[in-house]
Amino acid sequence: RQYIGITHRDFQSSPFADDVRSMIYDDSLMMSNSFQLDEGRQTTNYYKPFVSIQNIEVDHCRDAYALLLELCIPMKNGALDRFSLCFSGDTRPCLMHPSSLQRMSHPEHSPISLLIHEATFLDDLHGRKDALRKKHSTVREALDVATSIKAEACILTHFSQRYSHVSASDVSPVDTKEISYQGNWGVACDGMMIPLTKRGMASLLPLTKCIDAIHYNCAQE
């Protein structure tokens, strides 16, 4: 009910969104290693996970926006690590445009730790035509965006139902030129859970290839 009358475009500036922004930024979570003895008393440590949240207009339909979320992630040593996540939503590859880059490269923001980008179609002739016509992105276009915005990792998602499974080799076939993106990348699947850590980002491609092997073995049975 608090969102009534608040558009994505107005979220950062509308006074009607004050309660929503406060609810997000003031939310606190308990640290998993928070039970400590302080002079014989048990104390509980809390942290605020949300540092900032922004909407970035994208090229899809009216009022289509990407989400830029700055998080604090608790580490095992008790310190808080900054993690910047960008979720594209449905879009053509446009986050590399100057207006978007200016929003994402603001001095107050950390580099993009993880880009979750739609990759509705494979990068074949049919897929490229449909991506243009339906205002979506291909797998290679999504990774090109990750390269342009210097994202440290990228997860591809939102695949067309025409594909029963999208594998790592579908994204980067051996008979085509290598993808330009040099960061960690992987393919999303239903139920996937990834820790928002450097180790979790480094496991994206190995995890994708493991899922591909399971899918292949199941198909052979």
Side-chain angles (χ1 to χ4, degrees), residues 45-81:
N45 294 328
Y46 291 87
Y47 71 101
K48 294 181 179 181
F50 301 108
V51 178
S52 70
I53 180 171
Q54 287 192 60
N55 296 319
I56 301 174
E57 193 167 6
V58 295
D59 181 15
H60 183 63
C61 63
R62 181 175 178 177
D63 287 335
Y65 287 82
L67 172 70
L68 181 60
L69 187 61
E70 187 93 11
L71 299 167
C72 278
I73 306 294
M75 309 303 289
K76 288 184 178 180
N77 61 4
L80 294 175
D81 190 26

Side-chain angles (χ1 to χ4, degrees), residues 152-172:
E152 296 173 358
C154 180
I155 294 178
L156 305 175
T157 187
H158 191 268
F159 304 107
S160 169
Q161 292 184 352
R162 72 176 60 165
Y163 311 116
S164 60
H165 176 72
V166 175
S167 67
S169 59
D170 290 326
V171 176
S172 182

Side-chain angles (χ1 to χ4, degrees), residues 124-161:
D124 52 26
L125 181 60
H126 187 37
R128 289 192 293 270
K129 286 183 177 179
D130 278 349
L132 279 170
R133 183 168 60 88
K134 299 181 179 182
K135 289 201 167 186
H136 285 294
S137 303
T138 69
V139 291
R140 191 169 292 269
E141 287 174 334
L143 290 174
D144 286 345
V145 171
T147 299
S148 297
I149 67 174
K150 300 179 180 179
E152 296 173 358
C154 180
I155 294 178
L156 305 175
T157 187
H158 191 268
F159 304 107
S160 169
Q161 292 184 352

Side-chain angles (χ1 to χ4, degrees), residues 26 29 53 66 69 72 79 96 103-104 132 157 179-180 183 199:
D26 294 339
L29 296 177
I53 180 171
L69 187 61
C72 278
M96 71 283 278
R103 295 283 295 277
M104 289 186 285
L132 279 170
T157 187
I179 58 175
S180 61
R199 185 176 180 181

Side-chain angles (χ1 to χ4, degrees), residues 113-114 152-155 168 183-188 192-212:
S113 308
L114 174 62
E152 296 173 358
C154 180
I155 294 178
N184 299 304
W185 64 272
V187 176
M192 176 184 282
M193 297 179 67
I194 300 290
L196 300 182
T197 61
K198 290 184 177 180
R199 185 176 180 181
M201 299 302 100
S203 70
L204 289 175
L205 188 55
L207 177 59
T208 295
K209 291 181 176 179
C210 180
I211 294 170
D212 293 344

